[in-house]
Amino acid sequence: MQRFPEHFLWGGAIAANQVEGAYREGGKGLSTSDVQPQGIFAPVTPRKDGDFNIKDVAIDFYHRYPEDLALMAEMGFRCLRTSIAWSRIFPEGDETEANEAGLAFYDALFDAMASHGIEPVITLSHYEMPLGLVQRYGGWQDRRLITFFGRYANTVFKRFGHRVKYWLTFNEINMSLHAPFTGVGMAADSSAQAIYQAIHHQLVASARAVRDCHAMLPDAQIGNMLLGGIVYPLSCHPDDMLETLRQNRQWLFFGDVQAHGSYPAYMERFFREQQIQLEISQQDLTDLQHTVDFISFSYYMSGCATADPALQQRLRSNILDTVPNPHLPSPEWGWQIDPQGLRYLLNLLYDRYRKPLFIVENGLGARDVVAEDGSIQDDYRIRYLNDHLLQVAQALQDGVDVMGYTSWGPIDLVSASKAQMSKRYGFIYVDRDDDGQGSLKRLRKKSFFWYRDVIASQGASLQAGESTR
């Protein structure tokens, strides 16, 4: 097995709202995640005293991060992708002065990461925003959120720029089409006109953050983050080919704007045919020209598309629902495992954008069992990650510029889609169940030692399989 490049960024990825807990400590305000106790597709639930939300404590990373970072350092992490909770810095979102206690927490976190030689990769907004911005402004449909986000971004650039060299703007920015409240702070039944106007505001805010990062932190790099929802045609019928093109463009549109600096022609036709008329200023068009330095994305599985209504059986799988691929297996939670899809996606994105790529989420959610001796034999996770990393190696051989790989959930966390602990991703087991019971004790799984060896060997320890051709 050929070794990965020496500069390759090996690590893991987490998100503030899924690990930190301490949801009201240190002056933190309520976020949109705090009113989604059953996950991003369940109804929004206003807070009441005594209500249970597993994310209120999550895995208590807020208090336990020194132990968790030590375990990640033991695996040899070179980077950790996490997010800053916007509502820790600006509790209501529209303040003019930042919350010092929130800034101090991330000072301490990033200093601890530096002590272990772990590079922070920081997402500015990961599936949450201050709830006050939804209640007072209606979320991202209000243009003023561009200014509020810019104030927040510049605050953290200034405070943490000496520690953070890699930034991402919005996590899985295209998921606003599937879960508008999580993505843009708007009701699920909002009109397409309103959602795309909110998306436009978010794209402008992202571009301005790129502009300001480049001006304030010339040695830093800033990228976008896409949900890599690649679909294949269910057949080679021309109608299926065109339907596949249409569906892939729905999410590639976001990358096209962020990497090329303007709206693609196919979206102009889409807006015209859907009678969507966006309010776009000349300044917006100028701002959008500030393009990202690299493309980051998540990849868990692929799907299929067909134009035949009789074959449009939908399979809910994590965030997306797609037509099942008859050639792929489906484990629990409806995912269809497709390691070669990652190689395909890497080549597609590199051909399209010619910018470095960063795989910032990839992993398998599964139910783990702790044996009597305390061991966790998660060979299924090892197999999933091994096979996907082999395809990354193939993409590198194809000439794709891949910056790094951060597995999703290196430590068990609260899943975004269902707010479950039982859907575990980690190399590190956390003793907590879906009802919030457990000691929060951390245990090393079998995959912990496997990933440690992969990093130490620069990928040479990966085991070749049938899908590496």
Side-chain angles (χ1 to χ4, degrees):
M1 178 67 204
Q2 185 163 344
R3 292 164 63 91
F4 281 58
E6 288 299 321
H7 61 273
F8 196 79
L9 290 168
W10 294 98
I14 57 178
N17 71 90
Q18 293 170 260
V19 298
E20 284 182 2
Y23 88 109
R24 294 297 266 170
E25 291 189 42
K28 179 184 173 297
L30 288 176
S31 75
T32 48
S33 179
D34 292 325
V35 293
Q36 295 178 294
Q38 302 301 318
I40 63 176
F41 294 113
V44 173
T45 306
R47 298 293 308 215
K48 291 187 295 185
D49 289 342
D51 282 353
F52 173 74
N53 184 339
I54 196 168
K55 291 176 282 188
D56 292 353
V57 174
I59 63 167
D60 198 29
F61 184 77
Y62 186 88
H63 298 107
R64 295 171 180 256
Y65 70 82
E67 173 189 2
D68 295 337
L69 292 177
L71 287 166
M72 294 173 190
E74 185 180 335
M75 278 188 281
F77 277 25
R78 298 177 186 176
C79 69
L80 174 66
R81 177 189 171 219
T82 188
S83 63
I84 295 173
W86 184 355
S87 58
R88 286 201 191 280
I89 311 304
F90 290 96
E92 296 298 320
D94 58 358
E95 298 94 339
T96 57
E97 297 295 327
N99 171 36
E100 178 57 32
L103 292 168
F105 167 70
Y106 292 106
D107 274 332
L109 174 62
F110 299 153
D111 286 349
M113 290 171 68
S115 72
H116 288 291
I118 297 174
E119 193 81 45
V121 179
I122 300 304
T123 310
L124 292 172
S125 180
H126 190 128
Y127 278 11
E128 64 179 340
M129 59 187 287
L131 186 61
L133 296 180
V134 175
Q135 295 171 331
R136 285 191 289 282
Y137 301 93
W140 278 95
Q141 62 188 314
D142 192 310
R143 175 174 285 273
R144 286 173 289 184
L145 265 72
I146 299 174
T147 300
F148 299 144
F149 182 80
R151 181 181 299 140
Y152 157 62
N154 287 3
T155 297
V156 297
F157 290 158
K158 182 178 180 180
R159 181 69 169 246
F160 308 125
H162 66 296
R163 284 282 189 227
V164 180
K165 304 304 179 187
Y166 300 98
W167 299 89
L168 310 178
T169 53
F170 294 93
N171 178 68
E172 294 184 332
I173 188 169
N174 49 308
M175 71 86 56
S176 296
L177 298 176
H178 309 283
F181 185 78
T182 298
V184 287
M186 295 169 60
D189 60 356
S190 298
S191 68
Q193 167 73 42
I195 290 173
Y196 274 103
Q197 186 66 59
I199 286 169
H200 171 72
H201 293 155
Q202 211 168 67
L203 288 168
V204 172
S206 176
R208 288 188 183 181
V210 170
R211 176 198 67 192
D212 294 346
C213 183
H214 287 162
M216 298 172 67
L217 306 172
D219 295 329
Q221 297 183 54
I222 184 166
N224 63 346
M225 201 291 203
L226 303 171
L227 192 167
I230 191 74
V231 293
Y232 307 137
L234 190 62
S235 78
C236 56
H237 192 288
D239 289 347
D240 282 2
M241 299 298 292
L242 286 171
E243 176 62 17
T244 302
L245 177 65
R246 184 191 70 81
Q247 289 191 28
N248 281 326
R249 280 175 165 177
Q250 285 181 333
W251 66 270
L252 286 167
F253 142 66
F254 294 82
D256 289 351
V257 175
Q258 293 176 303
H260 296 316
S262 62
Y263 278 84
Y266 64 81
M267 286 305 294
E268 294 176 7
R269 175 177 179 173
F270 171 79
F271 292 146
R272 183 171 64 250
E273 292 181 347
Q274 298 300 313
Q275 297 184 324
I276 294 171
Q277 296 182 333
L278 300 184
E279 294 182 8
I280 301 176
S281 70
Q282 187 59 48
Q283 184 60 50
D284 291 347
L285 297 176
T286 299
D287 290 337
L288 289 175
Q289 294 174 25
H290 294 278
T291 57
V292 293
D293 300 314
F294 61 91
I295 306 294
S296 80
F297 65 94
S298 62
Y299 176 80
Y300 295 95
M301 54 163 291
S302 62
C304 289
T306 178
D308 186 346
L311 298 176
Q312 288 182 350
Q313 169 195 356
R314 310 300 287 184
L315 177 69
R316 167 63 69 186
S317 48
N318 207 24
I319 301 300
L320 303 178
D321 59 329
T322 60
V323 175
N325 188 327
H327 303 288
L328 296 175
S330 298
E332 191 173 6
W333 284 291
W335 299 15
Q336 291 202 290
I337 296 177
D338 179 18
Q340 288 173 287
L342 179 53
R343 178 185 178 187
Y344 177 79
L345 179 58
L346 283 163
N347 276 274
L348 182 148
L349 293 175
Y350 194 61
D351 288 349
R352 194 177 189 99
Y353 299 126
R354 307 301 293 179
K355 290 178 181 283
L357 305 180
F358 200 161
I359 307 159
V360 294
E361 287 187 30
N362 175 241
L364 178 68
R367 298 183 191 274
D368 295 328
V369 177
V370 182
E372 290 185 5
D373 63 359
S375 65
I376 299 127
Q377 304 297 321
D378 57 337
D379 295 276
Y380 38 86
R381 181 169 294 109
I382 292 171
R383 183 165 55 251
Y384 176 96
L385 295 170
N386 179 88
D387 291 352
H388 282 77
L389 282 168
L390 287 172
Q391 294 301 318
V392 178
Q394 290 293 317
L396 287 165
Q397 290 298 303
D398 293 337
V400 178
D401 184 357
V402 186
M403 297 168 57
Y405 174 91
T406 57
S407 69
W408 175 249
I411 184 169
D412 290 346
L413 41 65
V414 180
S415 71
S417 57
K418 298 287 184 65
Q420 295 171 313
M421 282 297 303
S422 56
K423 188 178 182 182
R424 298 179 181 274
Y425 293 83
F427 308 119
I428 303 164
Y429 183 91
V430 177
D431 180 28
R432 195 169 196 228
D433 64 21
D434 290 344
D435 297 321
Q437 302 301 307
S439 66
L440 292 170
K441 181 179 179 181
R442 276 58 166 158
L443 297 171
R444 298 168 181 82
K445 303 179 190 179
K446 183 177 180 180
S447 59
F448 179 100
F449 304 101
W450 169 84
Y451 196 48
R452 179 196 64 187
D453 293 345
V454 169
I455 295 173
S457 69
Q458 286 294 106
S461 65
L462 294 168
Q463 298 297 308
E466 295 179 358
S467 64
T468 56
R469 64 181 183 275

